[in-house]
Amino acid sequence: MVTLTESFQIPTRSCPFYTQKGCNFANEALRFLSLFGVLALLTQHATSSHVRIWIKIVNVNEFQELAKQALPKIYYDFYSGGAEDQHTLKENVEAFTRIMFRPRVLVDVSKIDTSTRILGYPISSPIMIAPAAMHMLAHPEGETAAAKAAAACNTIMIVSFMASCTIEEVASSCNTVKFLQIYVYKQREVTAQMVKRAEKAGFKAIVLTVDVPKLGRREADIKNKLISPKLKNFEGLFSTELRPSEGSGMEAVASRGLDASFSWKDIEWLRSITKLQILVKGILTREDALKAVEAGVDGIVVSNHGARQLDYSPATITVLEEVVHVVGRRIPVLLEGGIRRGTDVFKALALGAKAVLIGRPVVYGLVAKGEDGVKKVIDMLKNEFELTMALSGCPTIHDITRNHVRTEDERLHSML
């Protein structure tokens, strides 16, 4: 078990948020501490000149509570929320709990090797960073901090089309392998320019999101009247800074930008503008998996967009196997959605995924302690995954098989 202990001293009267009623840290102090990457829960009142706060983090889930306390509500809701009733948001996580292990014993697991390769690029474990928008809402270093953490952990980062930092800033921040996630806009030149810049900057692949012809109904963002900030990547191409009188600014930007007519035949257009490998992200059915293979893509990400698009779509882990069966060994299949434990990583690999993408936990780690927070999130998952491999009798990734897990359907069938 990994234990993280952090100490931070908070001044009282010297604190910029001190009031005569006591050191009232309120929302401004929460933002202040978040900006400096403080891994700490705030006390309501201070009774001495300094307050020492000790926090012990023992699993990835605990970072979410820290993020909830540190972020302004509007930003926490943006990162944590899902579409409509948020059924799929809950199911993404809970579906993993219905998969049980079938561990093998008396296997030599004195040495565990978690390393693997994705599209030919070696990584230390099958845990990659998923694309997530606007990291600077979580930490002032934004995507560059997450990229440095990916480099330190020897893994791949997928940078969001809606990143706060520019493609070039992320590229120059470190030497980790980076992919760029993209949307196709009505103004195709916007997307084309982003792809060309990524290729020039040394990105290794393009991840095309295919499940957003329109933005899902994210009710927390609508209630909060989320403002869409100016994004440097789009300067001179497309204005992302919108302040609608009603509803979500992100929804307004998406409505103005996204090309709802983009279809399978247009994959060829994307191929025509880049030499980079192309993955499609947002596949949930065997039918679309087959179309992806026929379109000649280089990989598939099974994803429901973090449950932010179509509510009551299936949890990704529940449809992974049907996608894998159609694809076979022709191209790699990755999984995004609901990964909170190393055991989840193992279950995904047992059902055929080559690697998993983690999104929200990375953001929560970023809020808590910047680059170090993200590294801790990845390391925790990797350590749990390594332990799961050992306890299941799997010294290498290649030893993880379908026989190591039992799904709910199999359990119910055995009871008939």
Side-chain angles (χ1 to χ4, degrees):
M1 182 175 291
V2 180
T3 300
L4 172 66
T5 303
E6 292 292 340
S7 170
F8 183 68
Q9 290 187 327
I10 304 174
T12 52
R13 291 188 180 276
S14 61
C15 170
F17 307 109
Y18 175 81
T19 70
Q20 294 301 314
K21 296 180 180 179
C23 195
N24 177 11
F25 286 100
N27 288 334
E28 288 79 10
L30 292 171
R31 285 193 287 272
F32 173 81
L33 292 176
S34 174
L35 287 175
F36 284 87
V38 177
L39 186 56
L41 295 172
L42 299 181
T43 53
Q44 294 298 314
H45 300 284
T47 57
S48 63
S49 61
H50 293 84
V51 178
R52 185 175 295 273
I53 299 174
W54 297 88
I55 296 296
K56 292 183 178 180
I57 298 294
V58 297
N59 63 63
V60 165
N61 287 312
E62 293 177 356
F63 278 98
Q64 183 169 356
E65 182 59 31
L66 292 176
K68 186 176 183 179
Q69 297 194 39
L71 282 175
K73 182 177 183 298
I74 188 172
Y75 297 154
Y76 176 76
D77 287 352
F78 168 68
Y79 286 127
S80 66
E84 298 184 352
D85 298 328
Q86 302 190 123
H87 171 82
T88 300
L89 182 66
K90 302 181 189 76
E91 185 65 9
N92 265 356
V93 175
E94 291 175 3
F96 279 97
T97 68
R98 298 191 290 272
I99 302 172
M100 298 291 111
F101 290 119
R102 299 183 70 249
R104 302 300 301 275
V105 298
L106 294 180
V107 177
D108 181 358
V109 289
S110 57
K111 294 181 180 179
I112 300 292
D113 181 5
T114 62
S115 66
T116 188
R117 286 178 175 268
I118 299 298
L119 299 182
Y121 299 103
I123 53 178
S124 63
S125 74
I127 302 168
M128 298 164 52
I129 295 181
M134 301 184 296
H135 278 193
M136 277 189 179
L137 298 183
H139 190 273
E141 293 181 23
E143 288 79 10
T144 61
K148 290 174 185 176
C153 296
N154 188 21
T155 192
I156 295 169
M157 177 177 178
I158 304 177
V159 180
S160 171
F161 194 69
M162 305 297 289
S164 302
C165 301
T166 66
I167 288 169
E168 292 77 14
E169 287 171 341
V170 180
S172 64
S173 67
C174 60
N175 61 359
T176 193
V177 174
K178 307 170 194 75
F179 299 168
L180 177 68
Q181 174 266 331
I182 66 166
Y183 299 105
V184 174
Y185 272 22
K186 296 171 187 174
Q187 297 173 241
R188 292 285 177 90
E189 189 57 24
V190 174
T191 301
Q193 284 299 317
M194 297 279 271
V195 169
K196 290 172 184 176
R197 284 168 55 195
E199 190 165 354
K200 183 178 179 181
F203 281 59
K204 302 303 183 183
I206 299 298
V207 180
L208 171 65
T209 294
V210 294
D211 58 358
V212 191
K214 296 180 181 295
L215 201 70
R217 183 176 174 81
R218 303 165 191 179
E219 294 179 357
D221 294 345
I222 295 171
K223 286 181 179 180
N224 292 333
K225 296 184 179 179
L226 179 69
I227 296 170
S228 175
K230 183 177 181 180
L231 298 177
K232 292 185 289 183
N233 263 325
F234 292 90
E235 285 183 1
L237 292 172
F238 185 86
S239 176
T240 60
E241 194 171 18
L242 289 180
R243 297 171 178 260
S245 57
E246 296 292 334
S248 164
M250 290 296 290
E251 186 176 8
V253 169
S255 178
R256 190 160 60 87
L258 293 171
D259 184 358
S261 73
F262 191 82
S263 62
W264 287 108
K265 61 181 174 58
D266 295 312
I267 299 289
E268 191 57 38
W269 168 79
L270 183 57
R271 277 218 180 278
S272 73
I273 65 170
T274 184
K275 296 178 181 178
L276 298 180
Q277 297 182 87
I278 297 170
L279 300 88
V280 290
K281 176 177 174 290
I283 302 298
L284 291 172
T285 65
R286 61 171 62 88
E287 294 88 348
D288 280 342
L290 183 58
K291 283 183 176 292
V293 172
E294 292 171 346
V297 303
D298 301 291
I300 286 173
V301 181
V302 175
S303 168
N304 52 34
H305 211 96
R308 295 160 73 82
Q309 282 299 101
L310 179 63
D311 200 17
Y312 296 93
S313 60
T316 52
I317 191 65
T318 65
V319 297
L320 171 61
E321 205 166 15
E322 74 170 77
V323 171
V324 169
H325 284 166
V326 168
V327 171
R329 297 175 179 266
R330 289 177 284 187
I331 55 176
V333 176
L334 313 181
L335 179 87
E336 176 192 68
I339 302 291
R340 298 295 184 273
R341 287 282 190 179
T343 51
D344 299 335
V345 180
F346 187 99
K347 290 171 184 179
L349 266 64
L351 293 174
K354 294 299 181 184
V356 301
L357 312 183
I358 51 172
R360 288 183 177 92
V362 164
V363 172
Y364 300 147
L366 193 63
V367 173
K369 209 167 188 294
E371 176 188 342
D372 288 340
V374 176
K375 285 195 293 188
K376 182 57 65 175
V377 165
I378 296 172
D379 283 343
M380 280 184 167
L381 290 173
K382 181 182 176 182
N383 290 341
E384 290 179 0
F385 175 58
E386 183 175 339
L387 178 60
T388 306
M389 288 176 64
L391 296 179
S392 298
C394 299
T396 73
I397 295 289
H398 302 295
D399 295 310
I400 301 173
T401 70
R402 180 62 178 81
N403 289 329
H404 283 97
V405 294
R406 190 184 197 190
T407 63
E408 184 179 33
D409 286 345
E410 290 172 319
R411 182 178 62 82
L412 293 174
H413 182 75
S414 69
M415 297 170 63
L416 295 179

